[in-house]
Amino acid sequence: MKKQLLSALLLLILVVTLVAVPAIAADEKAQPVKGFAKNGLPGARLLFSKADFTEAAGKITGIMVTSVPSAVHGILTTGRISEPTAIVPGQVIDASELDNLCFIPASEEEMHVTMEFIPIYKGSVQNVGGTQVKIGLNLSKTRNFAPAALPLNVE
């Protein structure tokens, strides 16, 4: 009887381990990563929030910037807007600083540029998620509305 009870207990532990460990590991992985865009009028600063990045990449601890727009178009910065310091490719930005991320355009012209980053997750290999994400930075005079159906009269 004790032998059967011990065998059943070991089997239960094995099953719980096989089910629970992948579920715990899945919490640390992100949802599928997707790009996004920030839009504004020409000359306007584009302000980011942590939510922009968590909606795109899931529960992150930060990002590693892999590309930024050319300085001719503007600078990507964190911190004080009055004294911006340009972010450079390879720079890591902690999740707590993402609410301070800002793109400051160099001119009042319309532009469509991009930046890219790799999400950083707690517990991932070297904490880097590996999937590069593209962000569109769009400054345009015309507003882009979603398509709308017009009332139709059928006779």
Side-chain angles (χ1 to χ4, degrees):
M1 181 71 169
K2 286 184 181 181
K3 191 173 187 181
Q4 289 176 336
L5 186 59
L6 184 59
S7 295
L9 182 61
L10 289 174
L11 182 60
L12 179 63
I13 291 171
L14 178 63
V15 169
V16 168
T17 302
L18 291 174
V19 172
V21 170
I24 292 168
D27 283 346
E28 295 299 329
K29 292 182 183 175
Q31 62 199 29
V33 178
K34 57 187 177 211
F36 63 95
K38 296 297 283 186
N39 303 301
L41 294 171
R45 294 177 174 153
L46 297 178
L47 305 174
F48 292 85
S49 70
K50 183 178 178 182
D52 293 331
F53 295 91
T54 56
E55 288 173 12
K59 187 177 178 181
I60 59 173
T61 58
I63 64 170
M64 181 173 68
V65 177
T66 56
S67 73
V68 296
S70 164
V72 171
H73 295 107
I75 63 168
L76 188 64
T77 183
T78 60
R80 298 174 64 186
I81 301 300
S82 59
E83 299 172 12
T85 303
I87 292 172
V88 296
Q91 187 170 343
V92 173
I93 302 171
D94 188 76
S96 64
E97 288 294 313
L98 293 175
D99 284 328
N100 298 325
L101 190 62
C102 177
F103 175 71
I104 304 171
S107 70
E108 299 284 326
E109 296 177 16
E110 288 191 19
M111 65 181 76
H112 303 281
V113 296
T114 60
M115 66 167 282
E116 294 177 329
F117 72 93
I118 296 174
I120 300 174
Y121 302 102
K122 180 181 179 184
S124 58
V125 177
Q126 296 180 356
N127 294 329
V128 178
T131 303
Q132 191 157 288
V133 181
K134 185 177 282 193
I135 302 172
L137 305 173
N138 305 307
L139 299 173
S140 180
K141 291 178 187 174
T142 58
R143 291 185 63 185
N144 186 3
F145 292 101
L150 298 174
L152 297 175
N153 296 327
V154 179
E155 296 180 23

